[in-house]
Every structure is written in structure tokens, then in C-alpha cells.
């Protein structure tokens, strides 16, 4: 096998990997010696830790592993037993390769050494032209030292960058993005159950990892796989997760150093409460559900993330829910107590989204009702309601379902008659209030509300506004309105007269009362 130089380009430039036997043989100075691999050609990717020039027959006892040994074999010529033992001793010492310079001792590759090296799987290289070994050792040693310095430099650069982010109160994602920038490969943080909590890196590469995450997690856990480097996360004698560099293409030692520095930073970040008080599990669920609701990323592209986050997705029924003012930790505990697989996260608008994943043979409506009833009867807010969209069997329909559930939750949020609502509220239950909530940002609706209520709003009398709200909500029932406001009927009549005077409307007229009611609903929706 003749060695040729490899000049193929790389797509990115991570820290260079450790020199392999193959790379050493492609160096310009080595190529001048016309190297030929005569044995162990399948093991040329072994890393070279050092280069050692030695003529001693018992050189193996001087090695510690990973050395490329250079020799002329002058002390081995004419003794086949010594030649065989020489190769065996190098194999026992875990040498990377042996390079034999042909000359007076061995004018041609020795068959005995070649056969022994082939049996041991030790690369045996012969040089057909005279070669000054000192030049090779100088070049290889300088390259190895530069790589070692680069690894240390990388380690310190990563430590400095991550420390600065932690000091600035950056979220977990910012730290992972920085780690991915230095490692030039996907980065995954997972808990001990292999549930993915966060990722970083180029999206297509990350998605490829997540699609095959179960196998990758096993490989990384067993220390197997090309470039799968992990570091444990934990403290005070307890592990609670791991960070994995997926397919790291740089030097293995540098990769391990990088993973260790990353792990140190993540542990410190967690200890200091990074993430605005949210656990990493909560941040992971929030990111996924926010992306699903937002719709900027197609649902199909989010499927690997959902699966890697531990949500069952194959042949499932998905139930999108939203709980106005729901407390994330309490909802998550309730799901676990009821044995319902799902994700829980607080969205940006204050509503808490819940995505249930049920087996196809389970009764989605019954389980949703049971969840809502337990929530309402629990220690949380007495008026807790669950807004629900219809169950979906297609993952692509989940985003629309979450948006519908959030809309229903928005329609009933702060409702004065929440106790009268069913435990599970759906779109059909919110009627006109739901439509107004949906249209509250429309400038025509805003203008209509201001025009209809102008006189009363300019008076700025909250008591009259409250009486009007109750009067219309009770179906213009004067007795019920007086009772709820703890006033006499005559006092209520005087207030209703004042309201009608401000509005310039007759509330006994159905159409005018309906118009005022719609305007008041729109006004209230705009205030929330």
C-alpha cells in the first residue's frame, strides 16, 4: 500500500484531531522517504502520542503506548526470533506503529516481521529511500505540542466565555450555543432517563441526532461511537444529567476537555438558579410548546424534539389544553399522579399549556374531564378551569389545537362566572365572549367600543361601570343585580338611569342593550 497525500477540504474547522499514523505518513518529509505500509494497513487511524527513535531490541519496555517507533533494525538483522519478539513487544506496549528504514540491515521488507505485525494488527511501514529520522521526530513533536497548546487554549477560551455568560445571567440556551460554537457539532443535555432537556448546534444536524437519539444515548453511555463525547452533570455526590458532544470531529482529548469545561459551567449555572427560576425540564417543555403554538417551525420538524423530550408520539391521541393562571409544577405533579403522559409549560401570555399524549384506545374526553375535575377540586385556585381543543390524532394538527385551547383560555380568563362554567371549557362554551376576545385587537372593534361607551368612560365612574356589567351579565335582571351589589331596588334604578343618561341609550331596548353589552365585552377584553 503506497501512501498519497490527502488534500480534501473540510466544511468547518474544529480543533484538529490527534495525529494518526495515516496523517504522519502523509507529511511531506515522510513522503520523500517513499513509505510503504507492508502490514497492519487496517490500523492506520491509530493516534500517535509521540515519536521514538530506538534501535534496542527490547524497546517495548521503554514505551507507554501510542508511540511511533523509528528503527533501522540493525540489531535485529539475521535473527528471526528477535525480529518476531521485537514486533510482539511493541504490540504488548500498545505502540501506534513501527517504521523501518531499509538499508544495509534490511535491503527489503523482512517477511518475518511483516507476518508478525500482520498477526498483531501493528502497522509496519518501510521507507525505501534514506531518511533522517531526526527531521521526522522534530516535525511530529512540534505538531503534537501545538495541538496540546491548542487544547489548553480552547479550554481556557471556553471557560472564560461561559463564565462571562453565567455572570451576566444568561439562560441555559446561550451557554449551549457557545459550547456548540466551540465544538462545531450538535450538543445535547439530557437527564439520567435520556430525556433531552436542551440542544444546540445547526438545526439540521441537531434534528438528525434527535431522530436517532435512543441509539446515540446508548452509545454515548457506553463510551462508544465516533466522536460521541459525554460529561456527567451533578454535584454533592449525585448525578442528575449529562452533556453529550455528538459527532465531535476534533482531537479526542480536546473534546473531553471541552465537555468537562461545559459540564462545570452547566452545574454552576444550575446551582446559581439560572433560567429565571425554571428547571431545565420546564425550560425544555416551554421551548417546544412555544414553537408549536407559534407556528414559525413546521410541526413535522418539531417531532424529533418531542420524541427526544420523552413525549410518546407514535400512534397517539393528542389533547391540547390551556389553564388560565395555572401553576406549572402543580399541573406537572397532577399529570404524574394520574399517570397521563404529557408536557406542561407556561407560555409568554401567562396561560399554561398542557399537551396530553394518550393511547388511541383511551377515552380522551373522559380523561380530560377527570384531569380538569381533579384540578378544580385540588388545593389550587378555587375557580381553575381547563380550556380544551378537540383531540387530534395527527401531529401536524397539534399547533392549531394548542392555539384554539389558548384562545378559549383567554376568553374565560378572569370571568366573573367561572364557577358556572364546566370543568372543561371548549370553543362552543365561550359564545360571544370568545368571538370578542378573538377580535379585541381589531381597530374597528376598538373604535366601536369607545364610541358606544364614550359617555360612561369619560365620567370614569367604576361603580356605574360595574353595575352595568352585572346588569347585562344577568340578562338585565334588576332584582339579581341589586342583590349582587347590595343596594335597594330604588337605588339601583337611579344608577341605571344615570348609566343610560351617560350612554344616551335605552337599556330596555333589546338591540341597544345588546350593542352596549358587546361594546362592554370588547372594552373588558382590551383591558386584559
Amino acid at each position: 500500500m503506497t501512501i498519497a497525500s490527502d488534500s480534501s477540504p473540510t466544511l468547518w474547522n474544529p480543533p484538529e484531531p490527534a495525529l494518526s499514523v495515516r496523517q504522519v505518513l502523509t507529511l511531506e518529509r515522510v513522503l520523500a522517504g517513499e513509505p510503504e505500509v507492508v502490514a497492519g494497513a487496517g490500523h492506520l487511524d491509530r493516534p500517535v502520542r509521540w515519536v521514538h527513535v530506538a534501535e534496542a531490541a527490547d524497546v517495548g519496555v521503554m514505551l507507554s503506548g501510542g508511540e511511533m517507533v523509528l528503527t533501522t533494525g540493525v540489531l535485529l538483522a539475521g535473527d528471526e526470533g528477535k525480529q518476531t519478539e521485537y514486533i510482539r513487544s511493541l504490540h504488548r506496549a500498545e505502540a501506534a506503529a513501527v517504521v523501518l528504514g531499509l538499508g544495509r540491515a534490511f535491503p527489503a521488507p523482512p517477511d518475518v516481521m511483516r507476518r508478525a505485525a500482520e498477526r498483531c494488527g501493528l502497522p509496519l511501514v518501510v521507507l525505501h529511500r534514506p531518511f533522517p529520522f531526526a527531521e521526522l521526530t522534530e516535525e511530529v513533536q512540534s505538531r503534537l505540542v501545538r495541538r496540546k497548546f491548542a487544547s489548553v487554549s480552547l479550554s481556557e477560551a471556553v471557560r472564560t466565555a461561559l463564565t462571562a455568560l453565567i455572570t451576566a445571567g444568561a439562560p441555559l440556551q446561550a451557554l449551549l450555543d457557545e459550547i456548540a460554537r466551540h465544538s462545531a457539532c450538535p450538543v445535547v443535555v439530557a437527564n439520567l432517563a435520556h430525556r433531552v432537556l436542551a440542544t444546540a448546534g445547526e438545526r439540521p444536524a441537531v434534528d438528525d441526532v434527535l431522530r436517532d437519539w435512543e441509539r446515540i444515548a446508548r452509545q454515548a453511555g457506553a463510551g462508544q461511537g465516533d466522536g460521541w463525547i459525554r460529561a456527567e452533570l451533578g454535584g454533592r455526590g449525585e448525578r442528575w444529567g449529562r452533556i453529550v458532544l455528538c459527532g465531535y470531529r476534533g482531537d479526542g482529548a480536546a473534546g473531553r476537555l471541552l465537555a468537562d469545561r461545559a459540564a462545570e459551567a452547566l452545574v454552576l449555572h444550575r446551582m446559581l438558579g439560572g433560567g429565571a427560576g425554571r428547571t431545565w425540564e420546564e425550560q425544555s417543555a416551554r421551548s417546544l410548546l412555544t414553537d408549536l403554538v407559534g407556528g414559525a417551525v413546521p410541526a413535522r420538524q418539531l417531532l424529533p424534539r418531542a420524541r427526544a423530550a420523552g413525549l410518546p408520539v407514535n400512534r397517539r391521541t393528542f389533547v391540547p389544553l390551556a389553564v388560565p393562571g395555572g401553576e406549572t409544577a402543580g399541573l406537572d405533579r397532577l399529570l404524574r399522579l394520574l399517570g397521563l403522559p404529557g408536557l406542561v409549560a407556561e407560555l409568554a401570555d401567562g396561560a399554561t399549556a398542557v399537551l396530553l399524549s394518550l393511547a388511541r384506545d383511551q377515552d380522551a374526553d373522559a380523561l380530560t374531564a377527570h384531569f380538569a375535575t381533579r384540578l378544580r377540586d385540588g388545593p389550587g385556585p378555587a375557580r381553575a378551569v381547563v380550556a380544551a381543543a378537540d383531540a387530534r390524532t395527527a401531529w401536524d394538527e397539534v399547533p392549531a389545537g394548542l392555539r384554539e385551547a389558548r384562545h378559549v383560555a383567554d376568553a374565560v380568563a378572569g370571568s366573573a362566572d367561572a364557577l358556572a362554567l364546566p370543568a372543561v371549557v371548549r370553543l362552543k362554551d365561550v359564545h360571544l365572549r370568545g368571538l370578542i376576545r378573538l377580535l379585541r385587537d381589531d381597530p374597528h372593534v376598538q373604535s366601536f367600543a369607545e364610541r358606544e361607551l364614550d359617555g360612561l368612560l369619560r365620567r370614569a365612574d367604576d361603580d356605574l361601570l360595574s353595575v352595568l356589567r352585572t346588569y347585562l351579565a344577568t340578562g338585565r335582571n334588576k332584582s339579581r343585580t341589586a342583590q349582587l351589589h347590595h343596594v335597594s331596588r330604588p337605588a339601583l334604578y337611579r344608577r341605571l338611569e344615570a348609566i343610560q343618561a351617560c350612554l344616551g341609550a335605552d337599556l330596555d331596548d333589546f338591540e341597544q342593550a345588546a350593542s352596549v353589552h358587546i361594546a362592554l365585552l370588547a372594552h373588558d377584553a382590551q383591558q386584559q
Side-chain angles (χ1 to χ4, degrees):
M1 176 180 176
T2 302
I3 304 298
S5 177
D6 181 9
S7 59
S8 60
T10 55
L11 297 179
W12 41 267
N13 189 30
E16 294 184 9
L19 278 174
S20 65
V21 174
R22 188 188 307 278
Q23 289 173 313
V24 171
L25 298 181
T26 60
L27 295 177
E28 186 175 347
R29 292 184 180 182
V30 180
L31 291 174
E34 298 182 6
E36 178 187 2
V37 179
V38 297
H43 303 275
L44 295 182
D45 292 320
R46 287 180 175 179
V48 175
R49 189 183 59 81
W50 207 244
V51 176
H52 194 68
V53 180
E55 298 294 349
D58 59 348
V59 65
V61 299
M62 308 174 189
L63 306 180
S64 58
E67 294 90 351
M68 174 179 277
V69 177
L70 311 180
T71 183
T72 61
V74 65
L75 299 181
L76 304 175
D79 191 331
E80 294 186 350
K82 282 186 177 181
Q83 295 172 23
T84 300
E85 180 55 30
Y86 180 79
I87 295 296
R88 289 175 178 171
S89 68
L90 292 178
H91 172 64
R92 289 193 297 269
E94 298 182 347
V98 57
V99 179
L100 175 65
L102 300 181
R104 285 179 296 175
F106 290 101
D111 285 340
V112 172
M113 294 179 68
R114 182 184 58 77
R115 289 194 299 269
E118 194 64 53
R119 286 194 298 271
C120 293
L122 176 70
L124 172 60
V125 183
V126 297
L127 300 175
H128 288 277
R129 294 177 63 85
F131 184 86
F133 286 167
E135 292 184 10
L136 174 59
T137 58
E138 179 183 3
E139 180 166 351
V140 173
Q141 314 302 38
S142 65
R143 286 174 179 259
L144 292 173
V145 169
R146 285 200 301 271
R147 280 167 169 74
K148 183 65 175 178
F149 177 78
S151 296
V152 174
S153 178
L154 170 66
S155 170
E156 289 308 307
V158 171
R159 188 202 297 270
T160 300
L162 296 181
T163 300
L165 288 171
I166 293 172
T167 303
L172 171 64
Q173 190 61 51
L175 271 68
L176 294 183
D177 289 341
E178 184 70 15
I179 296 165
R181 186 176 72 83
H182 285 283
S183 65
C185 70
V187 176
V188 174
V189 173
N191 62 18
L192 296 181
H194 304 307
R195 176 177 173 180
V196 173
L197 305 179
T199 63
E202 294 185 2
R203 196 71 254 168
V206 171
D207 287 344
D208 286 342
V209 168
L210 295 184
R211 272 189 285 270
D212 201 20
W213 175 245
E214 186 176 345
R215 179 186 63 82
I216 289 173
R218 287 198 304 269
Q219 282 188 342
Q224 302 170 353
D226 183 17
W228 307 117
I229 300 174
R230 77 169 187 174
E232 301 299 324
L233 304 175
R236 298 177 182 148
E238 181 181 5
R239 291 188 302 116
W240 37 261
R242 57 180 59 92
I243 180 171
V244 184
L245 308 185
C246 303
Y248 183 77
R249 290 171 56 186
D251 172 52
R256 287 188 291 275
L257 196 57
L258 174 58
D260 288 342
R261 291 291 175 266
E264 292 171 3
L266 295 184
V267 170
L268 179 60
H269 181 269
R270 178 159 167 153
M271 288 174 59
L272 293 177
R278 297 187 182 93
T279 67
W280 288 359
E281 287 80 0
E282 289 171 344
Q283 293 180 60
S284 173
R286 188 173 193 262
S287 173
L288 176 59
L289 291 180
T290 298
D291 286 347
L292 279 169
V293 170
V297 182
R300 182 59 51 182
Q301 294 183 20
L302 298 173
L303 189 58
R305 283 174 58 188
R307 182 183 292 110
L311 185 73
V313 295
N314 295 329
R315 296 188 58 78
R316 306 292 288 187
T317 296
F318 302 102
V319 184
L321 308 174
V323 181
E327 196 264 323
T328 305
L331 292 172
D332 197 46
R333 283 194 298 271
L334 181 57
L335 286 183
R336 290 199 300 270
L337 178 65
L338 299 178
L340 297 176
L343 296 177
V344 180
E346 181 182 351
L347 302 180
D349 58 4
T352 300
V354 181
L355 179 60
L356 300 181
S357 175
L358 308 176
R360 292 281 177 87
D361 59 353
Q362 291 180 294
D363 188 332
D365 289 344
L367 288 174
T368 302
H370 182 52
F371 169 76
T373 302
R374 289 291 298 270
L375 178 64
R376 174 168 282 189
D377 294 341
R383 296 184 175 184
V385 296
V386 172
D390 292 336
R392 266 76 171 164
T393 56
W395 175 257
D396 289 342
E397 297 176 2
V398 168
L402 285 168
R403 288 191 288 271
E404 179 182 318
R406 189 174 65 166
H407 165 60
V408 175
D410 189 37
V412 300
S415 174
D417 56 347
L419 282 176
L421 293 170
V424 179
V425 184
R426 302 185 186 275
L427 196 58
K428 63 181 179 62
D429 299 315
V430 295
H431 306 297
L432 179 61
R433 184 184 299 274
L435 176 63
I436 295 300
R437 289 283 182 144
L438 188 63
L439 300 175
R440 64 181 174 182
D441 294 326
D442 188 299
H444 295 92
V445 173
Q446 295 172 358
S447 177
F448 168 76
E450 290 290 327
R451 184 171 63 251
E452 288 290 301
L453 302 176
D454 179 62
L456 189 58
L457 294 177
R458 279 193 288 108
R459 180 165 175 170
D461 190 327
D462 291 338
D463 182 59
L464 291 183
L465 199 62
S466 177
V467 168
L468 174 63
R469 188 178 291 112
T470 304
Y471 179 62
L472 295 174
T474 59
R476 295 183 296 169
N477 186 318
K478 294 182 176 65
S479 297
R480 180 62 176 157
T481 302
Q483 180 183 15
L484 290 174
H485 282 270
H486 308 289
V487 296
S488 64
R489 291 283 292 270
L492 175 66
Y493 292 156
R494 288 194 294 272
R495 295 183 188 187
L496 289 176
E497 290 173 357
I499 291 171
Q500 292 182 106
C502 290
L503 296 176
D506 180 5
L507 295 181
D508 289 329
D509 180 83
F510 176 80
E511 184 174 342
Q512 293 185 56
S515 182
V516 171
H517 194 186
I518 293 172
L520 186 59
L521 289 175
H523 170 75
D524 290 345
Q526 292 158 16
Q527 304 308 306
Q528 296 180 0

